Amino acid sequence: MSESLKLVVSRSGSADPCATWQHRTVADDAALAATASEMGLSEAFLRQCLDPDEIPHIDREGEQILLLLQAPWTHEEVTAPLFMDTVPLGILLRPTGVVTISAKPLPLWDRLHRELCGEGARSLQREAFLARFFTELARDFLGAIDRLEAQLEVAKEQLRRSQSNAEFFRLLSLQKSLIYLTAALRGNLATGERLLHSPRWQGNAEEQEQLRDALEDLRQARDTAELMTSTTTNAMDAFAGTLQNNITVAIRVVTAWTVVITVPIAVISIMAMNTPLPLHDWPYAWPVLMGGSFVASGLLYLALRRSQWL
């Protein structure tokens, strides 16, 4: 079902100085149909806000304009195929106000609601709301990249000592998350630039500067994500060889210890045979032979240590 947050947003050029910001979390087809019917729009037009494959763009139906953007979304499940994904969200600019739509209850909406609807909140022009929205969106992307960077460092450290593929696939998941974020940032930047230079943008100098700053933050996040993606790709190529080398080292150590313990085992096996053996009647045969085998094993151990097999 849909959830609604409300904010008074001033419409520039309107006789009525106030209108309503409504946020709708649309989780299923029934909620989508109800929202489309209430807004007087087709379901196909609003379904873009729920389609994860839609790229950011600006669309229009009648007098209502839809800004479709992407926001970062962190998966809570540890076994999720992606550490971080992107989810679509829509900003519907109506003659009577602004409606935001998303399929996920993003923290972005709560922050905007606390800031814009709290005590001392004032009525906002539509452009001021959009500028603030882009600022919070850029903040989310920068925070997402910081979390990804921390996860990457942990994954790289684990992979240095790993002998299994689990850490390698975790690093692959983080790399795919970076690719998704980079693609979303590129689309958001293009849409924001188009909005800024559109005749529909009627913000004042302060609002225009705030939107430019938000776009600059998005650009910084995009550049950082692209650099991290390139670095991670190179690191994965290097760690693929490191993983194989770790397995080789483990096999080499096991082989070396097998050689070390072979001598005492061979002596014990021979002495345990039920057949006449040399020195069979000598009372010191067992301690001498076993002591000699342990000395030989010790010399083998020192030789293997010197050759760095152990």
Side-chain angles (χ1 to χ4, degrees):
M1 298 299 293
S2 63
E3 300 175 0
S4 177
L5 301 174
K6 293 188 177 181
L7 164 69
V8 175
V9 180
S10 174
R11 287 180 298 156
S12 56
S14 172
D16 183 1
C18 294
T20 302
W21 167 42
Q22 298 181 7
H23 172 67
R24 303 296 178 86
T25 300
V26 181
D28 51 36
D29 290 340
L32 177 67
T35 302
S37 176
E38 179 184 349
M39 303 298 170
L41 296 169
S42 64
E43 289 187 36
F45 183 72
L46 286 186
R47 193 172 293 279
Q48 302 175 84
C49 302
L50 308 181
D51 188 354
D53 297 326
E54 282 286 347
I55 62 174
H57 64 275
I58 300 177
D59 203 354
R60 182 169 186 164
E61 183 173 304
E63 296 183 355
Q64 305 193 53
I65 301 170
L66 176 66
L67 273 69
L68 186 68
L69 301 168
Q70 295 275 353
W73 172 261
T74 303
H75 286 279
E76 297 180 358
E77 301 84 0
V78 178
T79 57
L82 282 176
F83 173 76
M84 188 169 293
D85 203 350
T86 57
V87 294
L89 54 88
I91 303 178
L92 190 62
L93 306 179
R94 311 182 68 204
T96 56
V98 178
V99 178
T100 53
I101 302 171
S102 67
K104 301 286 186 181
L106 299 173
L108 168 68
W109 307 126
D110 295 330
R111 290 202 311 271
L112 281 172
H113 187 262
R114 286 195 302 268
E115 180 176 347
L116 302 178
C117 302
E119 294 183 3
R122 59 184 179 84
S123 61
L124 292 175
Q125 290 184 351
R126 180 185 299 172
E127 286 73 14
F129 173 78
L130 290 173
R132 189 63 206 169
F133 170 82
F134 270 92
T135 300
E136 292 299 323
L137 184 63
R139 174 184 171 184
D140 274 2
F141 272 103
L142 289 171
I145 290 175
D146 288 341
R147 291 194 298 273
L148 274 174
E149 186 175 10
Q151 289 291 326
L152 281 169
E153 292 303 319
V154 172
K156 289 177 182 178
E157 186 61 30
Q158 291 175 345
L159 195 55
R160 286 192 180 96
R161 304 182 300 270
S162 175
Q163 298 177 18
S164 68
N165 291 326
E167 289 79 9
F168 186 81
F169 283 116
R170 182 60 172 170
L171 193 60
L172 180 62
S173 170
L174 295 172
Q175 182 195 37
K176 291 173 63 178
S177 298
L178 279 170
I179 293 173
Y180 276 67
L181 287 186
T182 302
L185 282 164
R186 289 173 181 167
N188 289 344
L189 269 170
T191 304
E193 291 286 354
R194 182 181 174 188
L195 174 66
L196 182 63
H197 298 96
S198 169
R200 304 185 188 97
W201 177 262
Q202 299 177 1
N204 57 34
E206 181 182 353
E207 295 160 355
Q208 186 173 5
E209 185 63 27
Q210 185 178 11
L211 181 56
R212 288 187 185 276
D213 290 342
L215 294 178
E216 187 60 34
D217 289 341
L218 287 174
R219 192 173 293 107
Q220 177 185 347
R222 179 204 60 189
D223 294 342
T224 303
E226 289 177 347
L227 180 60
M228 288 174 60
T229 302
S230 177
T231 303
T232 304
T233 300
N234 295 333
M236 288 183 65
D237 293 339
F239 281 128
T242 301
L243 181 62
Q244 183 61 42
N245 185 65
N246 290 344
I247 296 174
T248 302
V249 169
I251 294 174
R252 186 178 66 186
V253 170
V254 172
T255 303
W257 277 110
T258 302
V259 172
V260 169
I261 66 176
T262 294
V263 177
I265 291 176
V267 171
I268 293 173
S269 300
I270 293 172
M271 295 299 293
M273 295 174 63
N274 295 324
T275 56
L277 297 171
L279 305 177
H280 183 73
D281 296 326
W282 188 35
Y284 301 106
W286 176 256
V288 169
L289 291 174
M290 288 305 301
S293 68
F294 283 121
V295 170
S297 293
L299 294 174
L300 280 172
Y301 173 80
L302 293 175
L304 292 171
R305 284 281 294 181
R306 181 172 297 179
S307 63
Q308 297 183 348
W309 273 61
L310 287 173

